Amino acid sequence: MASRPKVLVVGCSSGVGLQATKKLLDKNEEFETVCLVRNQEKAARAIGEDAGKVKFINGDITKVETLEPACQGMDVVVCSVGATVGWRLPGSNANTPKNVDYLGVKNLSEAAARAKVPRFVLVSSMLVTRPWHPYALVLNTGFGDVLRWKLKSEKCLRESYKQQPNMSYNIVRPGGLTNKTGGKKQILFEQGDKGSGFITREDVATVVMACIEGKCAANSTFEIINGDKDGGLDAASLASLVSDQ
């Protein structure tokens, strides 16, 4: 039997990363799930009863030396990390938007590129290119320029993966995240960072799975929100995506 593709999830303990991990484990016969963690016990508690199906690798997105060994042999890297703090005194905490959302993602994308990981899926954010939007002003002011750092990390990923043969990326930019049950409302796709809206974390994870499975256009950046109509993910929406210029 052919070996299952290995998917490394970075950010598996909470949010979209946790939801994506659970969806991977639902397809355990198709994918091997590997998680990069700082605290294996915490991650296992978050994942729940299926944690025994996960291969855990100790590492930290802010520690470069732990990343390339973790990426070796992977078929896909999924990055869904986010800083848990906003403004702090310089040097008081490494878990800041600059160190996590930018430098950490930069470290990871460069390590994945060096390890020749075929596909990289990055969960970023809507509004990264519109700093004067009211919501962007609130986020950047209250959370350490988080959208500015996320935009820089997107550019680093494109730079790391561009013109690499047999390697591609997807950058998923969700709107405001909610904890509502996914799969209820249609998932709307946009490109160009023009709209705004909200989407469930579970629905973002559904789109991440589509990227893992190669259903999203290679080297594409796109925004997703929930619409008003009932539905979910449909093939036509995925087919509408175009690669970055």
Side-chain angles (χ1 to χ4, degrees):
M1 183 176 71
S3 60
R4 295 169 296 165
K6 293 182 179 180
V7 182
L8 176 68
V9 181
V10 184
C12 71
S13 297
S14 62
V16 172
L18 176 58
Q19 294 295 327
T21 300
K22 290 181 176 181
K23 288 187 180 296
L24 277 165
L25 292 172
D26 286 341
K27 296 188 174 184
N28 190 56
E29 293 183 357
E30 299 177 41
F31 297 98
E32 181 176 348
T33 305
V34 184
C35 293
L36 184 78
V37 295
R38 291 182 296 179
N39 185 324
Q40 181 174 332
E41 184 178 347
K42 175 185 175 182
R45 281 200 308 269
I47 294 167
E49 60 183 13
D50 285 334
K53 300 175 183 177
V54 176
K55 178 182 178 182
F56 292 103
I57 297 178
N58 291 323
D60 188 328
I61 198 169
T62 66
K63 297 179 179 178
V64 180
E65 67 276 8
T66 68
L67 299 180
E68 192 167 347
C71 290
Q72 291 291 342
M74 295 299 150
D75 297 286
V76 187
V77 169
V78 175
C79 180
S80 178
V81 297
T84 57
V85 298
W87 294 111
R88 289 289 184 95
L89 292 173
S92 65
N93 193 309
N95 196 22
T96 60
K98 179 180 180 180
N99 285 322
V100 174
D101 294 87
Y102 168 46
L103 293 176
V105 176
K106 177 178 183 291
N107 294 339
L108 181 62
S109 62
E110 291 175 349
R114 289 194 298 270
K116 304 296 183 185
V117 178
R119 184 172 297 126
F120 194 111
V121 183
L122 173 63
V123 180
S124 182
S125 176
M126 192 174 278
L127 302 179
V128 289
T129 67
R130 293 179 284 164
W132 300 113
H133 189 283
Y135 288 156
L137 284 170
V138 170
L139 288 169
N140 283 329
T141 301
F143 297 93
D145 273 342
V146 60
L147 296 182
R148 181 167 72 90
W149 295 122
K150 283 183 179 293
L151 181 61
K152 289 175 70 70
S153 73
E154 290 184 8
K155 293 177 179 177
C156 289
L157 172 57
R158 294 188 192 97
E159 184 67 25
S160 297
Y161 265 65
K162 74 176 184 180
Q163 297 179 349
Q164 293 280 0
N166 303 315
M167 293 167 57
S168 64
Y169 65 83
N170 292 113
I171 298 174
V172 184
R173 293 172 169 173
L177 298 171
T178 77
N179 287 321
K180 294 180 181 179
T181 302
K184 303 293 185 181
K185 297 297 183 180
Q186 63 187 154
I187 300 173
L188 302 179
F189 287 74
E190 299 176 344
Q191 290 187 282
D193 198 15
K194 300 172 184 176
S196 62
F198 294 87
I199 187 167
T200 70
R201 288 177 169 84
E202 186 180 350
D203 282 337
V204 179
T206 295
V207 174
V208 168
M209 274 301 307
C211 294
I212 291 170
E213 294 171 328
K215 296 177 181 178
C216 300
N219 301 326
S220 61
T221 302
F222 55 89
E223 296 78 46
I224 50 173
I225 58 173
N226 282 131
D228 296 326
K229 297 179 180 179
D230 293 340
L233 182 64
D234 65 87
S237 294
L238 292 175
S240 71
L241 296 174
V242 297
S243 300
D244 297 341
Q245 298 301 312

